[in-house]
Amino acid sequence: MFKPLLLATAAILMAAAAPVLAQSTSMTPEDQVKAMGPGINVAAGWDPYWDGNPSPFKIGYIKSIKDAGFKTIRIPITTFRHMDKAGQHLDPATFRRLDAIVDAGVKEGLNVIIDEHDYDDCGKDANACGALLPNVWYELSEHYKNAPPSVMFELLNEPHEQIDDKLWNAWIPDLVAIVRETNPTRNIIIGATHWNSKNDLPLLKLPEADRHIIVTFHYYDPFHFTHQGASWAGAEVAALKGVEWKGTKEELAQLDADFDQVAAWGKANNRPIFLGEYGTYGKNNPRMDERAAWTRAVSKAADARGFARAFWYFSEGPVGFTAYNTDKDQWVAPIKDALVGQ
Ligand code: BGC
């Protein structure tokens, strides 16, 4: 699916000055982070779309995302269940579905992140994960090796539980080497353990010589505010209701301190930063003004420090982390304004 697009691009670029062509084959991670600006997570692996079933997600939404002012989409794919029995090859239908989103993003001029999101399986069974993940990256790297540099690879969402820092640090060079066989300069996104926690950044060991890496973290603090009512976050959090966030001086100071901590790590380690997920869950939190205020404050905190960012999540029904209501086919205005109306 990429070939026609790339050939067309190459033809246009060849007609222009040669340096443009050179630029188009690689991008520094710093320039890429600048270009990524505001982004949004779409079409997560559990969407019926991935099984070819009717889905609220439509390829046409990629244009709506672009038109709203977003510059990046992050696609959280769950590849493990789409690998063949031998664990070697990704099923062609999954590639076709992924191509459709990636191509639409590239066509709209968006940055596109292919994020391997089998983090739950990996956290529970590191051996099984360790057997599959390298093959997944052989597959994805080969398939997308001719994609433009606006397409990026994220090795694994939120390593946690069995994937501790020792194991993760041991895997990173191998996974990066697999990608580099076919994608020598594509920017790769890597985060730390404990669910891409900022606090684990000092534990993260990256291949020093590889300068095409962007470091990611996720931000859902205060967790009791953002996740109140979330069944997957444990019984205590699932039962929470009415936890407020008012944007007080103290709350904003904490946010600043947290983001300063990440910025300081990025500077000391010379790696640009991408906030890959942030958002609030609506089930037990109907106060849209507070949810939008938190979303705006976090967006601004990222922008102020030159981090790229992607909101969690485009659309998951009326009470989810939703930015777009697919029933009404319209944006949730306060959230959208908090994301792209700065
Ligand atoms: C998970 C989602 C979850 C979100 C917020 C993501 O990484 O994949 O299932 O809703 O984090 O907890």
Side-chain angles (χ1 to χ4, degrees), residues 41 44 46 74 76 115 117 119-120 157-158 195-196 218 220 223 226-227 230 232-233 277 279 281 312-313 316 321:
N41 283 272
W46 47 89
R74 177 176 183 256
D115 152 48
H117 211 81
Y119 70 118
D120 266 337
N157 179 65
E158 299 187 349
W195 292 271
N196 291 152
H218 291 176
Y220 289 106
F223 195 73
T226 64
H227 275 69
W232 64 96
E277 288 187 15
Y281 186 53
W312 187 272
Y313 174 79
E316 54 178 24
F321 285 76

